[in-house]
Amino acid sequence: MIISFFSTGTGGGAAPVDYLTAREVLAYDENRNLIRDATGQPQTKIRDPLPKVLHGNPDQTRDLIDASPNKWSYTAGVISFADSDDPSPDAQQEAIELFEALAFAGLDRDQYDCLWVRHTHVGNVELHFCAPRLELSTGKALNIAPPGHENAFASLRDLLNKTHGWADPLEPERAREVRATIEAPTRAQGREALHDWILDQISVGTITDRASMVDALTDAGFEIPRAQELHHRQRP
């Protein structure tokens, strides 16, 4: 099992919430390449089984994100289990509760909103979360993934994996059992791979506008000149 936070978090609530609950999504092959028709258009497929909302209200989460006055309006990510983990419903609930206890430490349940949706259409169990970056009683910004958060959530991951005997992504012989999040293309893979990856990120809500596209590309290791720098370069 792994715990991953997506690199995005700006924009309205439609993109992240719709990705979690969408019935129809872009189709990929087993190598995570977009499937296209004879004309080059991306193909879609119906998720089977359909996503299942476990906790929260999609409409409420969407509205809270839309109401945020902050640039960073939400935090999203996934608890992803290996095919071999096969977590029971009780174990999934335990993972959710421990995640929230860590992410929202010191807050009562009515002070935050967190939508949880289970995906199983690709064969393994994925518990997706989306939380508006708002403390609900005050309207102040709430960041559940501040700098250095990786260590705390890695400890939670290790505790749960050891307790339940789930696949440890740090063990080389088991690493492939855990499904990785969408990988970024390298420069060597060319423009087509980068184009496909951007479409992929749009489909999962990581890219919703120009700013989030720049953020995603920067996180993936690409150097993106600032608009002002680009303007100066273009001046005669």
Side-chain angles (χ1 to χ4, degrees):
M1 180 272 286
I2 58 175
I3 301 174
S4 301
F5 287 83
F6 299 151
S7 60
T8 189
T10 61
V17 173
D18 289 353
Y19 166 66
L20 263 61
T21 59
R23 177 175 179 269
E24 187 173 3
V25 292
L26 290 172
Y28 296 89
D29 62 22
E30 60 183 10
N31 296 317
R32 292 298 299 165
N33 295 315
L34 274 170
I35 299 174
R36 299 175 181 275
D37 62 20
T39 66
Q41 294 299 309
Q43 297 294 286
T44 60
K45 68 175 182 179
I46 303 300
R47 285 168 164 166
D48 183 20
L50 293 175
K52 180 177 178 57
V53 175
L54 300 178
H55 298 285
N57 181 301
D59 292 335
Q60 175 176 295
T61 299
R62 184 187 297 107
D63 290 344
L64 286 170
I65 295 173
D66 288 342
S68 174
N70 307 312
K71 173 185 176 182
W72 294 97
S73 53
Y74 67 91
T75 301
V78 63
I79 301 177
S80 182
F81 297 87
D83 295 355
S84 59
D85 289 342
D86 192 24
S88 68
D90 287 344
Q92 293 175 44
Q93 180 61 29
E94 178 189 8
I96 289 173
E97 291 177 358
L98 290 178
F99 177 94
E100 289 197 0
L102 176 59
F104 303 102
L107 298 180
D108 293 331
R109 190 61 185 83
D110 60 358
Q111 291 181 272
Y112 66 90
D113 177 83
C114 191
L115 175 66
W116 288 91
V117 181
R118 181 169 58 215
H119 291 180
T120 56
H121 59 279
V122 295
N124 66 318
V125 174
E126 295 181 347
L127 304 177
H128 286 261
F129 59 88
C130 182
R133 289 180 59 159
L134 288 174
E135 195 281 296
L136 301 184
S137 66
T138 63
K140 294 182 178 180
L142 173 63
N143 183 10
I144 65 173
H149 72 279
E150 295 88 355
N151 291 334
F153 287 97
S155 296
L156 175 59
R157 175 203 66 202
D158 293 344
L159 171 64
L160 286 168
N161 284 340
K162 183 175 182 180
T163 300
H164 295 279
W166 293 333
D168 183 350
L170 300 182
E171 295 181 5
E173 66 274 17
R174 303 187 71 178
R176 291 187 178 182
E177 295 183 32
V178 182
R179 295 183 185 273
T181 53
I182 300 168
E183 296 181 353
T186 65
R187 294 181 184 277
Q189 289 175 295
R191 182 172 301 182
E192 183 177 352
L194 177 59
H195 178 263
D196 289 348
W197 180 78
I198 290 174
L199 289 177
D200 204 348
Q201 298 297 302
I202 292 172
S203 74
V204 302
T206 301
I207 293 176
T208 58
D209 52 24
R210 182 187 182 282
S212 57
M213 182 170 71
V214 170
D215 289 340
L217 288 170
T218 300
D219 289 342
F222 289 84
E223 294 183 4
I224 309 298
R226 297 178 181 274
Q228 185 176 8
E229 294 175 354
L230 185 60
H231 173 72
H232 287 315
R233 291 180 188 178
Q234 292 177 337
R235 291 177 62 184

